[in-house]
C-alpha cells in the first residue's frame, strides 16, 4: 500500500515503477480513501502502541494506492525494495530510504507474511478485482 505521503509527493509512478522494474507482476491496483474503521482494522495489531493514533490519522489523511504484487517470494522481494520499517535503518536506494524521514509516516506498507497478505488482500479487494494474467511465451524475468 502506498500511503498518502506518496500521493502528496507525486511519487506513485516512480514507486510502482520500482516494483515493476524488479519483475513483480501487478494483479490488482486501485486508489482508495481509507476510513477510520478500515485503517483500525488494517492496523489492529498496533492498538495501544504510542504511534497508533498518528498512524491511523495519517493513513486516513488522503488517498492510498493498494496493489497486489505477484512473484516467487514476493513478500521478501517487496520488503527488500521498500527497506526496514524504522527509517533510520533504511538504506538509500530503498523506497523508505529514499522517500521517508519518519517511521510512522514511512510512505509504504507491505505484508510481512503470507497470512498477513491474505488478510490484507481480503480487506482491500473484492475477488473480482483481481486480474490474473501471464507472460505467455515471453520470459522477461
Ligand atoms: P507499516 O508497514 O505500515 O506497518 C505498521 C506501521 O506502524 C509501520 O509501517 C509504521 O508506519 C508504524 N510503526 C511501526 N513501528 C513504529 C515505531 N516504532 N515508531 C513509529 N511508528 C511505527
Amino acid at each position: 500500500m502506498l500511503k498518502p505521503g506518496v500521493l502528496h509527493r507525486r511519487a506513485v509512478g516512480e514507486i510502482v515503477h520500482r516494483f515493476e522494474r524488479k519483475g513483480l507482476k501487478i494483479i490488482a491496483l486501485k486508489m482508495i480513501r481509507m476510513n477510520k474503521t478500515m485503517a483500525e482494522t488494517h492496523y489492529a495489531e498496533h492498538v495501544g502502541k504510542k504511534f497508533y493514533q498518528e498512524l491511523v490519522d495519517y493513513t486516513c489523511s488522503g488517498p492510498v494506492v493498494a496493489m497486489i504484487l505477484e512473484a516467487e517470494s514476493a513478500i521478501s522481494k517487496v520488503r527488500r525494495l521498500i527497506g526496514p520499517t524504522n527509517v533510520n535503518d533504511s538504506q538509500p536506494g530503498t523506497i523508505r530510504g529514499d522517500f521517508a524521514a519518519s517511521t510512522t509516516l514511512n510512505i509504504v506498507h507491505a505484508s510481512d507474511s503470507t497470512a498477513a497478505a491474505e488478510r490484507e488482500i481480503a480487506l482491500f479487494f473484492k475477488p473480482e478485482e483481481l486480474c490474473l494474467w501471464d507472460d505467455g511465451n515471453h520470459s522477461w524475468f
Side-chain angles (χ1 to χ4, degrees):
M1 173 178 72
L2 311 186
K3 301 184 188 184
V6 176
L7 285 293
H8 292 144
R9 305 279 285 276
R10 315 293 197 262
V12 172
E14 180 171 349
I15 293 177
V16 172
H17 179 231
R18 291 183 182 209
F19 296 126
E20 288 203 288
R21 192 172 59 180
K22 179 70 176 168
L24 290 145
K25 188 198 286 181
I26 300 170
I27 60 169
L29 186 146
K30 69 176 171 186
M31 187 165 147
I32 58 167
R33 185 91 191 222
M34 286 172 74
N35 62 29
K36 194 164 178 279
T37 306
M38 188 175 178
E40 288 175 346
T41 303
H42 179 61
Y43 284 127
E45 69 185 281
H46 299 295
V47 172
K49 295 183 184 167
K50 63 179 185 336
F51 57 83
Y52 174 74
Q53 197 54 53
E54 188 184 7
L55 178 64
V56 169
D57 290 346
Y58 170 55
T59 306
C60 299
S61 69
V64 305
V65 174
M67 69 187 105
I68 306 175
L69 297 168
E70 185 185 280
E72 193 183 317
S73 305
I75 288 170
S76 61
K77 284 192 175 98
V78 169
R79 293 181 70 78
R80 284 172 64 81
L81 285 171
I82 71 176
T85 303
N86 185 329
V87 295
N88 296 320
D89 297 332
S90 53
Q91 297 290 328
T94 65
I95 293 166
R96 286 170 174 159
D98 288 348
F99 289 94
S102 150
T103 295
T104 302
L105 316 183
N106 67 0
I107 293 285
V108 285
H109 166 82
S111 308
D112 61 5
S113 65
T114 306
E118 285 172 3
R119 187 174 64 246
E120 292 167 2
I121 287 169
L123 179 65
F124 282 87
F125 293 96
K126 301 187 189 97
E128 61 269 26
E129 291 177 316
L130 276 63
C131 183
L132 303 179
W133 56 282
D134 62 41
D135 288 306
N137 295 327
H138 305 291
S139 178
W140 303 105
F141 299 101

